[in-house]
Amino acid sequence: MDIILIPGFWLDASSWSAVTPPLVAAGHRVHPVTLPGLESVDADRSGITLRDHIDAVVALIDTFDEPVVLVGHSGGGAIAHGAVDARPDSVARVVYVDSGPLADGGVINDELPVVDGEIPLPEWSIFPDEDLVDLTDELRAELRAASIPQPARVASDAQALSDERRFDVPVTVIACEFPSSLLTEWMAGGHPYVAELARISDVELLDLPTGHWPQFTRPAELGDLILSIVSRD
């Protein structure tokens, strides 16, 4: 399979480097993405929009002859869902890593602090304790050193979706900071946080208990779990 790996906020393609070895060893072709404006700390990201990030993934999808698997971490999940909406026939499955599909009109996170038109990785105190599970001081330093300011509009632009065939594309959610049983409870109860997920016809929920950055805290296990998912497709 061709597997497109979409990082979450503040991260580039290199954030997947410890996750991909089992996928490559199994013969899959991995395509970690560096999204527009995340090329370097010094990149011009002032005009980058959510649609620019979605379009970058769609352009990559269009280079393949067969349907691909999209893997989206955190805010990258919203981008993956936007790409599915644009190319529902070209995506075999979406894997959401501590993430999920963002509905039409929703925003990824418009409460993050904007500094000079961009969003640097905030201080750790802004994140809930669940996000930081297993993120040791050493890993925090590694993540911060790798971080790149996020284009502000990607966080605050409204998602724009139009093709209901997106609900026919199978989905796997890898639940990290919250157990999958809680997601099941929310979907059954009509919680707005999972309203878009609940409309998808084929949803699989798996658990990888850790914090919000499993590609740093449990990369080998994350790679093996993604491999087990794509090996069935």
Side-chain angles (χ1 to χ4, degrees):
M1 299 290 296
D2 287 291
I3 304 170
I4 298 174
L5 299 154
I6 307 168
F9 281 11
W10 308 297
L11 299 173
D12 64 7
S14 68
S15 63
W16 295 104
S17 59
V19 177
T20 57
L23 298 168
V24 174
H28 296 289
R29 297 169 298 276
V30 298
H31 309 277
V33 176
T34 293
L35 294 163
L38 277 295
E39 298 88 354
S40 73
V41 172
D42 298 323
D44 179 8
R45 63 196 120 254
S46 57
I48 300 295
T49 67
L50 175 59
R51 179 52 54 180
D52 290 329
H53 278 195
I54 293 169
D55 287 347
V57 175
V58 171
L60 182 55
I61 292 172
D62 287 346
T63 65
F64 302 108
D65 295 328
E66 299 295 329
V68 303
V69 172
L70 300 181
V71 180
H73 166 249
S74 188
I79 295 159
H81 195 51
V84 169
D85 182 73
R87 295 292 187 270
D89 296 328
S90 299
V91 180
R93 178 177 295 275
V94 186
V95 180
Y96 292 103
V97 179
D98 212 41
S99 183
L102 180 68
D104 183 62
V107 300
I108 298 176
N109 189 343
D110 58 0
E111 297 182 356
L112 291 168
V114 177
V115 179
D116 296 329
E118 59 186 24
I119 305 171
L121 177 63
E123 295 302 314
W124 300 117
S125 58
I126 200 173
F127 297 102
D129 291 342
E130 293 85 359
D131 280 2
L132 305 176
V133 171
D134 298 331
L135 198 66
T136 64
D137 289 344
E138 181 180 0
L139 289 175
R140 292 186 192 196
E142 179 184 342
L143 198 161
R144 188 165 294 281
S147 69
I148 302 157
Q150 185 72 19
R153 285 193 56 185
V154 176
S156 60
D157 281 357
Q159 178 85 290
L161 306 173
S162 60
D163 194 332
E164 295 212 346
R165 289 180 297 165
R166 67 185 182 273
F167 299 123
D168 298 326
V169 177
V171 159
T172 300
V173 176
I174 298 177
C176 297
E177 58 183 301
F178 301 112
S180 62
S181 58
L182 184 58
L183 295 177
T184 300
E185 180 182 324
W186 285 348
M187 285 193 288
H191 195 293
Y193 180 73
V194 293
E196 186 81 353
L197 182 65
R199 296 184 66 185
I200 295 172
S201 58
D202 183 350
V203 176
E204 174 186 42
L205 303 177
L206 302 176
D207 288 289
L208 181 61
T210 188
H212 187 57
W213 288 277
Q215 65 273 61
F216 287 89
T217 58
R218 296 185 65 180
E221 294 96 326
L222 178 58
D224 288 339
L225 194 52
I226 294 171
L227 176 60
S228 72
I229 295 163
V230 300
S231 295
R232 299 193 309 260
D233 289 328

Short mmCIF file of all heavy atoms in Angstrom, two decimals, residues 143-193:
data_model
loop_
_atom_site.label_atom_id
_atom_site.label_comp_id
_atom_site.label_asym_id
_atom_site.label_seq_id
_atom_site.Cartn_x
_atom_site.Cartn_y
_atom_site.Cartn_z
N LEU A 143 10.75 16.98 21.20
CA LEU A 143 9.60 17.49 20.45
C LEU A 143 9.72 19.00 20.25
O LEU A 143 9.47 19.51 19.16
CB LEU A 143 8.32 17.12 21.18
CG LEU A 143 7.00 17.17 20.40
CD1 LEU A 143 5.92 16.35 21.13
CD2 LEU A 143 6.49 18.59 20.22
N ARG A 144 10.12 19.70 21.29
CA ARG A 144 10.22 21.16 21.17
C ARG A 144 11.32 21.55 20.18
O ARG A 144 11.17 22.49 19.40
CB ARG A 144 10.46 21.80 22.54
CG ARG A 144 10.37 23.32 22.51
CD ARG A 144 10.23 23.92 23.89
NE ARG A 144 8.97 23.56 24.53
CZ ARG A 144 7.80 24.14 24.27
NH1 ARG A 144 7.71 25.12 23.37
NH2 ARG A 144 6.70 23.75 24.91
N ALA A 145 12.42 20.82 20.20
CA ALA A 145 13.51 21.12 19.26
C ALA A 145 13.08 20.88 17.83
O ALA A 145 13.54 21.57 16.90
CB ALA A 145 14.73 20.27 19.60
N ALA A 146 12.18 19.90 17.62
CA ALA A 146 11.71 19.58 16.27
C ALA A 146 10.55 20.47 15.83
O ALA A 146 10.19 20.47 14.64
CB ALA A 146 11.27 18.12 16.22
N SER A 147 9.97 21.22 16.74
CA SER A 147 8.74 21.95 16.44
C SER A 147 8.97 23.13 15.51
O SER A 147 10.02 23.77 15.54
CB SER A 147 8.07 22.42 17.73
OG SER A 147 8.82 23.45 18.35
N ILE A 148 7.96 23.39 14.70
CA ILE A 148 7.94 24.50 13.75
C ILE A 148 6.63 25.25 13.97
O ILE A 148 5.58 24.61 14.14
CB ILE A 148 8.01 23.98 12.30
CG1 ILE A 148 9.28 23.13 12.12
CG2 ILE A 148 7.99 25.11 11.29
CD1 ILE A 148 9.18 22.15 10.98
N PRO A 149 6.65 26.58 14.00
CA PRO A 149 5.39 27.30 14.21
C PRO A 149 4.32 26.91 13.19
O PRO A 149 4.62 26.70 12.01
CB PRO A 149 5.80 28.77 14.07
CG PRO A 149 7.23 28.79 14.47
CD PRO A 149 7.80 27.50 13.95
N GLN A 150 3.11 26.80 13.66
CA GLN A 150 1.97 26.40 12.84
C GLN A 150 1.34 27.62 12.16
O GLN A 150 1.16 28.65 12.81
CB GLN A 150 0.93 25.70 13.73
CG GLN A 150 -0.25 25.12 13.00
CD GLN A 150 0.11 23.88 12.20
OE1 GLN A 150 1.13 23.25 12.45
NE2 GLN A 150 -0.72 23.53 11.24
N PRO A 151 1.01 27.51 10.88
CA PRO A 151 0.26 28.61 10.25
C PRO A 151 -1.06 28.85 11.01
O PRO A 151 -1.84 27.92 11.20
CB PRO A 151 0.02 28.11 8.83
CG PRO A 151 1.09 27.10 8.59
CD PRO A 151 1.32 26.44 9.91
N ALA A 152 -1.30 30.09 11.40
CA ALA A 152 -2.44 30.39 12.27
C ALA A 152 -3.77 30.03 11.63
O ALA A 152 -4.69 29.54 12.29
CB ALA A 152 -2.41 31.86 12.67
N ARG A 153 -3.90 30.27 10.32
CA ARG A 153 -5.21 30.04 9.68
C ARG A 153 -5.56 28.57 9.59
O ARG A 153 -6.75 28.22 9.51
CB ARG A 153 -5.23 30.69 8.30
CG ARG A 153 -5.37 32.21 8.34
CD ARG A 153 -5.71 32.77 6.99
NE ARG A 153 -6.92 32.18 6.42
CZ ARG A 153 -7.37 32.44 5.21
NH1 ARG A 153 -6.70 33.26 4.41
NH2 ARG A 153 -8.49 31.87 4.76
N VAL A 154 -4.57 27.70 9.61
CA VAL A 154 -4.87 26.27 9.59
C VAL A 154 -5.66 25.88 10.84
O VAL A 154 -6.55 25.04 10.80
CB VAL A 154 -3.59 25.43 9.46
CG1 VAL A 154 -3.90 23.94 9.53
CG2 VAL A 154 -2.87 25.76 8.16
N ALA A 155 -5.33 26.53 11.94
CA ALA A 155 -6.02 26.24 13.20
C ALA A 155 -7.42 26.83 13.27
O ALA A 155 -8.31 26.28 13.91
CB ALA A 155 -5.18 26.76 14.37
N SER A 156 -7.63 27.97 12.59
CA SER A 156 -8.89 28.71 12.78
C SER A 156 -9.83 28.70 11.58
O SER A 156 -11.00 29.08 11.71
CB SER A 156 -8.58 30.16 13.16
OG SER A 156 -7.82 30.80 12.15
N ASP A 157 -9.35 28.30 10.40
CA ASP A 157 -10.23 28.24 9.23
C ASP A 157 -11.31 27.17 9.42
O ASP A 157 -11.06 26.12 10.01
CB ASP A 157 -9.44 27.89 7.97
CG ASP A 157 -8.68 29.08 7.40
OD1 ASP A 157 -8.81 30.19 7.95
OD2 ASP A 157 -7.95 28.88 6.41
N ALA A 158 -12.49 27.44 8.88
CA ALA A 158 -13.58 26.47 8.95
C ALA A 158 -13.38 25.37 7.90
O ALA A 158 -13.02 25.66 6.76
CB ALA A 158 -14.92 27.15 8.74
N GLN A 159 -13.61 24.14 8.32
CA GLN A 159 -13.59 23.01 7.39
C GLN A 159 -14.73 23.17 6.38
O GLN A 159 -15.84 23.55 6.76
CB GLN A 159 -13.76 21.71 8.18
CG GLN A 159 -13.81 20.44 7.37
CD GLN A 159 -12.43 19.89 7.04
OE1 GLN A 159 -11.71 20.49 6.25
NE2 GLN A 159 -12.08 18.77 7.64
N ALA A 160 -14.44 22.88 5.11
CA ALA A 160 -15.47 22.97 4.06
C ALA A 160 -15.56 21.63 3.35
O ALA A 160 -14.63 21.23 2.64
CB ALA A 160 -15.12 24.08 3.07
N LEU A 161 -16.66 20.92 3.55
CA LEU A 161 -16.87 19.58 3.00
C LEU A 161 -18.13 19.58 2.15
O LEU A 161 -19.08 20.31 2.42
CB LEU A 161 -17.01 18.55 4.12
CG LEU A 161 -15.88 18.52 5.16
CD1 LEU A 161 -16.23 17.58 6.30
CD2 LEU A 161 -14.55 18.12 4.51
N SER A 162 -18.15 18.71 1.12
CA SER A 162 -19.31 18.73 0.23
C SER A 162 -19.73 17.36 -0.30
O SER A 162 -20.82 17.23 -0.84
CB SER A 162 -19.02 19.64 -0.98
OG SER A 162 -17.89 19.17 -1.70
N ASP A 163 -18.89 16.32 -0.15
CA ASP A 163 -19.19 15.03 -0.77
C ASP A 163 -19.49 13.98 0.30
O ASP A 163 -18.60 13.56 1.04
CB ASP A 163 -17.99 14.58 -1.62
CG ASP A 163 -18.35 13.43 -2.56
OD1 ASP A 163 -19.25 12.65 -2.23
OD2 ASP A 163 -17.70 13.32 -3.63
N GLU A 164 -20.74 13.56 0.37
CA GLU A 164 -21.13 12.62 1.42
C GLU A 164 -20.56 11.22 1.21
O GLU A 164 -20.68 10.36 2.09
CB GLU A 164 -22.66 12.58 1.55
CG GLU A 164 -23.25 13.89 2.02
CD GLU A 164 -24.50 13.71 2.85
OE1 GLU A 164 -25.06 12.60 2.86
OE2 GLU A 164 -24.90 14.70 3.51
N ARG A 165 -19.89 10.98 0.09
CA ARG A 165 -19.21 9.71 -0.09
C ARG A 165 -18.05 9.56 0.89
O ARG A 165 -17.52 8.45 1.06
CB ARG A 165 -18.72 9.58 -1.53
CG ARG A 165 -19.83 9.37 -2.55
CD ARG A 165 -19.23 9.25 -3.95
NE ARG A 165 -18.55 10.49 -4.34
CZ ARG A 165 -17.70 10.56 -5.37
NH1 ARG A 165 -17.40 9.47 -6.08
NH2 ARG A 165 -17.14 11.72 -5.68
N ARG A 166 -17.68 10.64 1.55
CA ARG A 166 -16.63 10.55 2.58
C ARG A 166 -17.04 9.59 3.69
O ARG A 166 -16.18 8.99 4.34
CB ARG A 166 -16.30 11.92 3.15
CG ARG A 166 -17.41 12.59 3.96
CD ARG A 166 -17.00 14.01 4.36
NE ARG A 166 -18.00 14.69 5.19
CZ ARG A 166 -19.02 15.38 4.71
NH1 ARG A 166 -19.21 15.49 3.40
NH2 ARG A 166 -19.87 15.99 5.54
N PHE A 167 -18.32 9.45 3.91
CA PHE A 167 -18.79 8.57 4.98
C PHE A 167 -18.68 7.10 4.63
O PHE A 167 -18.86 6.23 5.49
CB PHE A 167 -20.24 8.91 5.34
CG PHE A 167 -20.43 10.31 5.85
CD1 PHE A 167 -21.31 11.18 5.22
CD2 PHE A 167 -19.72 10.78 6.95
CE1 PHE A 167 -21.49 12.48 5.67
CE2 PHE A 167 -19.90 12.08 7.42
CZ PHE A 167 -20.78 12.93 6.78
N ASP A 168 -18.38 6.79 3.37
CA ASP A 168 -18.25 5.40 2.93
C ASP A 168 -16.81 4.89 3.02
O ASP A 168 -16.57 3.70 2.80
CB ASP A 168 -18.74 5.25 1.48
CG ASP A 168 -20.21 5.61 1.32
OD1 ASP A 168 -20.98 5.35 2.27
OD2 ASP A 168 -20.58 6.15 0.26
N VAL A 169 -15.87 5.76 3.29
CA VAL A 169 -14.46 5.37 3.38
C VAL A 169 -14.20 4.81 4.78
O VAL A 169 -14.45 5.49 5.78
CB VAL A 169 -13.53 6.56 3.09
CG1 VAL A 169 -12.07 6.16 3.26
CG2 VAL A 169 -13.79 7.10 1.68
N PRO A 170 -13.70 3.57 4.88
CA PRO A 170 -13.46 2.97 6.21
C PRO A 170 -12.47 3.78 7.04
O PRO A 170 -11.52 4.38 6.50
CB PRO A 170 -12.90 1.59 5.88
CG PRO A 170 -13.36 1.30 4.49
CD PRO A 170 -13.39 2.63 3.79
N VAL A 171 -12.68 3.74 8.33
CA VAL A 171 -11.89 4.54 9.27
C VAL A 171 -11.43 3.66 10.43
O VAL A 171 -12.18 2.81 10.91
CB VAL A 171 -12.75 5.70 9.81
CG1 VAL A 171 -12.21 6.24 11.12
CG2 VAL A 171 -12.84 6.82 8.78
N THR A 172 -10.20 3.87 10.85
CA THR A 172 -9.70 3.32 12.11
C THR A 172 -9.23 4.47 12.98
O THR A 172 -8.48 5.33 12.52
CB THR A 172 -8.53 2.34 11.89
OG1 THR A 172 -8.96 1.26 11.07
CG2 THR A 172 -8.05 1.78 13.22
N VAL A 173 -9.69 4.50 14.21
CA VAL A 173 -9.22 5.49 15.18
C VAL A 173 -8.31 4.79 16.18
O VAL A 173 -8.70 3.79 16.79
CB VAL A 173 -10.39 6.16 15.93
CG1 VAL A 173 -9.86 7.12 17.00
CG2 VAL A 173 -11.31 6.88 14.97
N ILE A 174 -7.08 5.29 16.29
CA ILE A 174 -6.17 4.81 17.32
C ILE A 174 -6.29 5.77 18.50
O ILE A 174 -5.84 6.91 18.45
CB ILE A 174 -4.73 4.75 16.81
CG1 ILE A 174 -4.63 3.76 15.63
CG2 ILE A 174 -3.78 4.34 17.93
CD1 ILE A 174 -3.25 3.68 15.01
N ALA A 175 -6.97 5.31 19.54
CA ALA A 175 -7.24 6.15 20.71
C ALA A 175 -6.06 6.07 21.66
O ALA A 175 -5.64 4.99 22.06
CB ALA A 175 -8.52 5.67 21.40
N CYS A 176 -5.55 7.23 22.03
CA CYS A 176 -4.36 7.29 22.89
C CYS A 176 -4.69 7.91 24.24
O CYS A 176 -4.70 7.22 25.25
CB CYS A 176 -3.25 8.07 22.19
SG CYS A 176 -2.67 7.31 20.66
N GLU A 177 -4.97 9.20 24.27
CA GLU A 177 -5.16 9.86 25.56
C GLU A 177 -6.51 9.54 26.19
O GLU A 177 -6.67 9.65 27.41
CB GLU A 177 -4.96 11.36 25.43
CG GLU A 177 -5.87 12.05 24.44
CD GLU A 177 -5.55 13.53 24.31
OE1 GLU A 177 -5.62 14.23 25.34
OE2 GLU A 177 -5.23 13.97 23.20
N PHE A 178 -7.49 9.14 25.39
CA PHE A 178 -8.78 8.70 25.91
C PHE A 178 -9.05 7.29 25.39
O PHE A 178 -8.75 7.00 24.23
CB PHE A 178 -9.91 9.62 25.48
CG PHE A 178 -9.74 11.05 25.93
CD1 PHE A 178 -9.51 12.06 25.00
CD2 PHE A 178 -9.80 11.38 27.27
CE1 PHE A 178 -9.34 13.36 25.41
CE2 PHE A 178 -9.64 12.69 27.69
CZ PHE A 178 -9.40 13.69 26.76
N PRO A 179 -9.60 6.39 26.19
CA PRO A 179 -9.84 5.03 25.72
C PRO A 179 -10.94 4.98 24.67
O PRO A 179 -11.84 5.82 24.65
CB PRO A 179 -10.25 4.29 27.00
CG PRO A 179 -10.83 5.36 27.89
CD PRO A 179 -10.01 6.59 27.59
N SER A 180 -10.88 3.97 23.82
CA SER A 180 -11.89 3.83 22.78
C SER A 180 -13.29 3.62 23.36
O SER A 180 -14.28 3.98 22.73
CB SER A 180 -11.54 2.67 21.86
OG SER A 180 -11.50 1.45 22.57
N SER A 181 -13.36 3.06 24.57
CA SER A 181 -14.67 2.87 25.20
C SER A 181 -15.37 4.20 25.42
O SER A 181 -16.61 4.29 25.32
CB SER A 181 -14.51 2.14 26.54
OG SER A 181 -13.65 2.86 27.41
N LEU A 182 -14.59 5.25 25.68
CA LEU A 182 -15.19 6.57 25.86
C LEU A 182 -15.71 7.10 24.53
O LEU A 182 -16.79 7.70 24.47
CB LEU A 182 -14.17 7.53 26.46
CG LEU A 182 -14.65 8.93 26.80
CD1 LEU A 182 -15.80 8.89 27.78
CD2 LEU A 182 -13.50 9.77 27.37
N LEU A 183 -14.97 6.88 23.45
CA LEU A 183 -15.45 7.28 22.12
C LEU A 183 -16.73 6.56 21.77
O LEU A 183 -17.67 7.15 21.22
CB LEU A 183 -14.38 7.01 21.07
CG LEU A 183 -13.08 7.81 21.17
CD1 LEU A 183 -12.10 7.38 20.09
CD2 LEU A 183 -13.35 9.31 21.07
N THR A 184 -16.80 5.27 22.10
CA THR A 184 -18.02 4.49 21.84
C THR A 184 -19.19 5.08 22.62
O THR A 184 -20.31 5.22 22.09
CB THR A 184 -17.80 3.02 22.25
OG1 THR A 184 -16.73 2.48 21.48
CG2 THR A 184 -19.06 2.20 22.01
N GLU A 185 -18.94 5.43 23.86
CA GLU A 185 -19.99 6.03 24.70
C GLU A 185 -20.45 7.37 24.13
O GLU A 185 -21.66 7.65 24.07
CB GLU A 185 -19.44 6.22 26.11
CG GLU A 185 -20.41 6.83 27.11
CD GLU A 185 -19.78 7.03 28.47
OE1 GLU A 185 -18.97 6.17 28.87
OE2 GLU A 185 -20.08 8.05 29.11
N TRP A 186 -19.50 8.17 23.68
CA TRP A 186 -19.85 9.47 23.11
C TRP A 186 -20.67 9.31 21.83
O TRP A 186 -21.65 10.03 21.61
CB TRP A 186 -18.59 10.27 22.80
CG TRP A 186 -17.93 10.86 24.01
CD1 TRP A 186 -18.43 10.95 25.28
CD2 TRP A 186 -16.62 11.44 24.07
NE1 TRP A 186 -17.54 11.54 26.12
CE2 TRP A 186 -16.42 11.86 25.41
CE3 TRP A 186 -15.61 11.64 23.14
CZ2 TRP A 186 -15.24 12.47 25.82
CZ3 TRP A 186 -14.43 12.27 23.55
CH2 TRP A 186 -14.26 12.68 24.87
N MET A 187 -20.27 8.38 20.96
CA MET A 187 -21.02 8.18 19.72
C MET A 187 -22.44 7.71 20.01
O MET A 187 -23.40 8.17 19.39
CB MET A 187 -20.29 7.19 18.81
CG MET A 187 -19.07 7.79 18.12
SD MET A 187 -18.43 6.74 16.78
CE MET A 187 -17.70 5.40 17.73
N ALA A 188 -22.57 6.81 20.96
CA ALA A 188 -23.90 6.30 21.32
C ALA A 188 -24.78 7.40 21.91
O ALA A 188 -26.00 7.41 21.73
CB ALA A 188 -23.77 5.15 22.31
N GLY A 189 -24.14 8.35 22.59
CA GLY A 189 -24.88 9.42 23.23
C GLY A 189 -25.07 10.66 22.38
O GLY A 189 -25.63 11.66 22.84
N GLY A 190 -24.56 10.64 21.15
CA GLY A 190 -24.73 11.78 20.26
C GLY A 190 -23.88 12.98 20.62
O GLY A 190 -24.24 14.12 20.33
N HIS A 191 -22.72 12.74 21.22
CA HIS A 191 -21.83 13.85 21.60
C HIS A 191 -21.36 14.57 20.33
O HIS A 191 -20.92 13.95 19.37
CB HIS A 191 -20.63 13.30 22.36
CG HIS A 191 -19.85 14.33 23.09
ND1 HIS A 191 -19.12 15.32 22.45
CD2 HIS A 191 -19.66 14.55 24.43
CE1 HIS A 191 -18.52 16.09 23.34
NE2 HIS A 191 -18.83 15.64 24.55
N PRO A 192 -21.44 15.90 20.32
CA PRO A 192 -21.05 16.65 19.11
C PRO A 192 -19.59 16.46 18.72
O PRO A 192 -19.25 16.59 17.54
CB PRO A 192 -21.34 18.11 19.49
CG PRO A 192 -21.42 18.14 20.98
CD PRO A 192 -21.95 16.80 21.38
N TYR A 193 -18.73 16.15 19.67
CA TYR A 193 -17.31 15.96 19.37
C TYR A 193 -17.08 14.82 18.37
O TYR A 193 -16.13 14.86 17.59
CB TYR A 193 -16.57 15.68 20.68
CG TYR A 193 -15.08 15.45 20.52
CD1 TYR A 193 -14.22 16.50 20.23
CD2 TYR A 193 -14.54 14.18 20.68
CE1 TYR A 193 -12.85 16.29 20.09
CE2 TYR A 193 -13.17 13.96 20.54
CZ TYR A 193 -12.34 15.02 20.24
OH TYR A 193 -10.99 14.81 20.10
#
